[in-house]
Amino acid sequence: MRATSTSWKHLPPPSTCEPLGFEAMFSDAEAEQLMLGLVPKQMEDKWFIYYEEGWLRFHRSWTGAFIYALRLDGSPAGVRVVSSWVNGDPEQYKADDIAYERKLVCFLIDAFLLKKSDARFPMPSGVSNAPPGLVQHSLVGRAYPESKADDDT
């Protein structure tokens, strides 16, 4: 079933956004998967993702905060991201490392929307003492085996 704006509670776009600079190309079949989105099923699911009016929208499921947006557009080779932003409102989200935010969005897409079994969680810098599984759970919810954590940030 396709996620829509009415599938879960969420907030409107933040008053301040920062360019994300996320670039990606997807096949038509992958784009169809992206547009299905993701509706949380349990408390451990931390993201609500849906597609509307050309934008793939990523919200934190507990707060409803609108964190990422990716503008998708068709091209001769498939569907590409033509614009992207991350929430810049420090009351809602703190994006200190834009390069890491791009990696996290890529992981969310690969693991949750495209369901790639080889998706690797990117560990943020500065958390070397924390168990990877705990860090992953706090940021994205559903755990993957810790062996799939990517320490190359």
Side-chain angles (χ1 to χ4, degrees):
M1 178 147 66
R2 185 177 176 147
T4 68
S5 62
T6 61
S7 298
W8 197 261
K9 64 177 175 55
H10 64 281
L11 298 176
S15 58
T16 306
C17 301
E18 300 294 329
L20 183 58
F22 183 82
E23 296 178 357
M25 178 71 83
F26 303 99
S27 68
D28 290 336
E30 288 173 327
E32 296 229 359
Q33 284 297 118
L34 297 179
M35 292 176 197
L36 291 176
L38 175 71
V39 179
K41 291 184 175 76
Q42 54 190 339
M43 291 300 283
E44 289 80 19
D45 297 336
K46 304 217 175 173
W47 291 93
F48 166 51
I49 305 168
Y50 69 98
Y51 178 79
E52 184 176 82
E53 297 176 357
W55 289 90
L56 190 59
R57 302 156 190 253
F58 296 73
H59 294 262
R60 293 295 284 184
S61 64
W62 287 15
T63 64
F66 195 166
I67 306 300
Y68 305 113
L70 307 178
R71 177 80 171 161
L72 303 179
D73 192 27
S75 75
V79 174
R80 64 188 171 107
V81 177
V82 295
S83 181
S84 60
W85 57 257
V86 60
N87 187 322
D89 180 347
E91 299 279 320
Q92 294 182 1
Y93 191 70
K94 188 174 180 182
D96 293 332
D97 181 351
I98 295 298
Y100 178 75
E101 299 298 331
R102 286 191 293 267
K103 290 177 185 179
L104 185 56
V105 168
C106 187
F107 175 78
L108 293 171
I109 290 169
D110 287 349
F112 298 128
L113 300 177
L114 298 179
K115 297 174 178 45
K116 293 182 178 179
S117 62
D118 62 345
R120 297 175 58 88
F121 176 73
M123 284 294 288
S125 59
V127 295
S128 59
N129 294 334
L134 180 62
V135 174
Q136 179 176 329
H137 182 75
S138 71
L139 292 175
V140 300
R142 298 180 198 165
Y144 284 79
E146 286 188 27
S147 63
K148 288 202 177 182
D150 184 1
D151 293 318
D152 302 330
T153 55

